Amino acid sequence: MLRTRFCELFGIEHPIVQGGMQWVGKAELVAAVANAGALGMITALTQPTPEALEKEIARCREMTDKPFGVNLTILPTVKPPPLVEYREVIVGSGIKIVETAGFTPVDHLPHLKAAGIKVLHKCTTIKHALHAQSLGADAISIDGFECAGHPGEEDIPGLILIPIAADQISIPIIASGGFADGRGLVAALALGADGINMGTRFMATVESPIHENVKQHLVDATELETDLIFRQLGNTTRVHRNVVSSEVVSILNGGGEFADVRELVVGTRGRRVYEVGDTDLGIWSAGLAQGLIHDIPAVGELVNRIVTDAEKIISGRLAGFVC
Ligand code: NAD
């Protein structure tokens, strides 16, 4: 068994987190992750309304009696969602773990803490991690440049970001961005983290609620096939490279503004990719870890494989180096 202080604090068996993923973090996947002994997060903004989130939490509880959390993402959106109402549903539903992500959680943390909720804040800089710690976050998910979605604007890969975070932050740290297997888990622990976050890897699992074509596309893709979009807008986003992402890059590189790409990037269009399996319909998030994905296992098999491989690496290959 691999156990870290993150496991103790969040009441989970394995130091593996399935962080928020727009259109993917639904009850089926989250319950499967929880049943595998890892920590799954329902993505709040994937649900169209706070009421729908309440139902999704109840649906997840029907599929697992293990702990799971909810991700609340605070980032630019085409239509600003009622974040306070989503938060109130999370608190009212008796959820005990929340992952905040994006901008500072300052407006939400006091309410979440007052309800006895453990907060894992995901961010991409040491400055923001220290800020979240000072606000009372229970753990930090530090997201390196390899990640899917929003890597921030500083482009620091995990190999540098994680040990610096470990040097400066006293609460538990989850290493995020580029993790997909047992080797990554061992590396994260060696760098000073207390566990790993995986998004892209969990997309290509049996229980992931997305079209089989997208899962197979992740298996076939290499680490070279992502695009960084929105760099010019200070909202850099890593997506799987396709005809839409290439067009967005070209428009913004040519001096275009958000209004010029809005119809191409709108999330409801990206959602169709996962629903109908046409990977060129819109933008969809994927990290560099797609180059490490070679199969579509059940979540339980994946978590078990990662933990078992990590244990073997630590007690076998690495122990063998010490003489
Ligand atoms: P959306 O349809 O509102 O926007 C589509 C994309 O455009 C998003 O990436 C959004 O950040 C960006 N965007 C919107 N308005 C912008 C502006 N004025 N300037 C610059 N960029 C702008 O978003 P959605 O797909 O419905 O997603 C809802 C929320 O979840 C967004 O905040 C999105 O960023 C976030 N999200 C996070 C991840 C992740 O990896 N954590 C992945 C997907 C989406």
Side-chain angles (χ1 to χ4, degrees), residues 22-23 73 75-78 148-150 230 233 235 258 265-267 285:
Q22 183 69 327
W23 315 126
T73 292
L75 279 169
T77 45
V78 171
H150 297 268
F230 302 156
L233 309 174
N235 183 29
F258 184 71
V265 303
V266 69
S285 295

Side-chain angles (χ1 to χ4, degrees), residues 179-238:
F179 295 99
D181 58 26
R183 295 170 298 184
L185 174 53
V186 174
L189 297 176
L191 292 171
D194 302 281
I196 55 169
N197 176 82
M198 301 194 305
T200 308
R201 174 64 272 199
F202 277 122
M203 284 170 72
T205 57
V206 171
E207 296 89 340
S208 163
I210 63 175
H211 199 283
E212 291 304 311
N213 288 355
V214 183
K215 297 180 192 181
Q216 190 56 44
H217 209 76
L218 286 169
V219 171
D220 297 339
T222 74
E223 67 282 11
L224 302 175
E225 295 161 73
T226 70
D227 266 326
L228 293 171
I229 61 172
F230 302 156
R231 174 113 289 182
Q232 299 86 342
L233 309 174
N235 183 29
T236 299
T237 302
R238 189 186 295 283

Side-chain angles (χ1 to χ4, degrees), residues 104-177:
T104 170
V106 64
D107 295 336
H108 302 284
L109 235 150
H111 301 274
L112 299 171
K113 296 301 299 173
I117 293 173
K118 295 241 165 3
V119 178
L120 171 63
H121 181 66
K122 181 152 67 185
C123 54
T124 59
T125 71
I126 301 298
K127 184 177 141 197
H128 294 147
L130 286 167
H131 176 62
Q133 176 175 260
S134 74
L135 291 173
D138 296 280
I140 297 294
S141 196
I142 193 84
D143 213 5
F145 185 54
E146 301 90 334
C147 74
H150 297 268
E153 309 307 319
E154 297 181 352
D155 303 355
I156 309 295
L159 195 57
I160 305 300
L161 197 60
I162 299 158
I164 296 178
D167 283 346
Q168 298 195 23
I169 291 159
S170 57
I171 56 180
I173 297 164
I174 291 297
S176 182

